[in-house]
């Protein structure tokens, strides 16, 4: 998989190359970015971290200035825009940071969880999907109950 650049977050320079990648790669996450957008740099940092741990998925980015046809075809209007493809079909889209807490300081694990919901990556056991358990006075663990009336 390393030969196919799995495990690294790479930039695709040509639109045609990206179209070939999305049609020949089983799982791929594509970040449409603009070099002057600070939030695109933030997304890059998180996707780079995820690429190093999720080898079954290819992670790449393309500058929107180099992908005018795809930007129009996929209706990319707000940046950053991350689109997940499985077997050449767009299965998920993350636009901006709204679904990531609407903050620049979101955790990589939140992005990992979000991408995991579409199965483009496999969730790890230590992500935010684990709900902390609390112990009873008898020492047994029970599921956390967030509906307690206090």
């Amino acid at each position: 998989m390393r030969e196919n650049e799995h495990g690294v977050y790479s930039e695709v320079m040509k639109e045609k190359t990206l179209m070939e990648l999305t049609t020949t790669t089983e799982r791929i996450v594509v970040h449409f970015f603009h070099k002057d957008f600070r939030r695109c740099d933030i997304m890059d940092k998180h996707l780079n971290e995820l690429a190093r741990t999720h080898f079954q998925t290819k992670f790449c980015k393309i500058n929107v200035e180099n992908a005018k046809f795809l930007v129009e075809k996929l209706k990319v209007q707000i940046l950053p825009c991350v689109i997940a493809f499985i077997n050449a079909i767009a299965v998920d889209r993350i636009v901006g940071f709204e679904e990531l807490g609407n903050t620049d300081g979101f955790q990589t694990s939140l992005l990992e969880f979000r991408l995991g919901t579409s199965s483009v990556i496999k969730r790890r056991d230590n992500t935010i999907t684990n709900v902390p358990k609390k112990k009873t006075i008898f020492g047994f663990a029970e599921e956390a109950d967030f509906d307690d009336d206090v």
Side-chain angles (χ1 to χ4, degrees):
M1 290 192 150
R2 283 229 185 245
E3 292 173 4
N4 294 328
E5 293 188 335
H6 286 241
V8 295
Y9 180 56
S10 57
E11 182 173 354
V12 177
M13 301 307 285
K14 296 182 179 177
E15 189 171 46
K16 184 176 181 181
T17 305
L18 182 63
M19 289 191 290
E20 289 172 8
L21 282 172
T22 57
T23 57
T24 60
T25 307
E26 182 181 353
R27 292 175 178 2
I28 185 166
V29 173
V30 180
H31 174 207
F32 290 86
F33 79 99
H34 191 280
K35 61 182 167 104
D36 295 332
F37 285 35
R38 184 179 54 81
R39 282 191 157 188
C40 290
D41 291 338
I42 294 169
M43 184 63 77
D44 278 346
K45 180 187 86 149
H46 294 289
L47 291 173
N48 186 38
E49 189 173 325
L50 291 176
R52 293 182 299 182
T53 58
H54 292 280
F55 298 109
Q56 75 281 2
T57 303
K58 179 163 181 51
F59 289 82
C60 63
K61 65 180 179 176
I62 190 163
N63 190 323
V64 291
E65 294 175 347
N66 297 337
K68 295 185 188 305
F69 172 77
L70 282 175
V71 165
E72 185 176 325
K73 182 82 172 156
L74 296 170
K75 296 179 173 60
V76 174
Q77 297 174 343
I78 298 173
L79 298 179
C81 180
V82 176
I83 302 179
F85 296 88
I86 298 178
N87 295 320
I89 298 171
V91 295
D92 199 3
R93 175 184 299 246
I94 301 171
V95 178
F97 289 176
E98 191 171 300
E99 296 178 62
L100 302 170
N102 211 18
T103 178
D104 291 358
F106 68 90
Q107 300 273 329
T108 303
S109 60
L110 182 58
L111 179 60
E112 181 178 38
F113 173 79
R114 180 62 184 75
L115 290 170
T117 60
S118 64
S119 299
V120 73
I121 63 172
K122 294 180 182 171
R123 292 189 209 159
R124 296 183 304 199
D125 289 339
N126 63 350
T127 61
I128 63 169
T129 58
N130 288 346
V131 177
K133 295 183 178 188
K134 59 184 179 181
K135 290 188 177 183
T136 66
I137 58 173
F138 300 109
F140 299 108
E142 62 181 37
E143 294 296 321
D145 185 7
F146 296 108
D147 294 333
D148 289 343
D149 291 330
V150 180

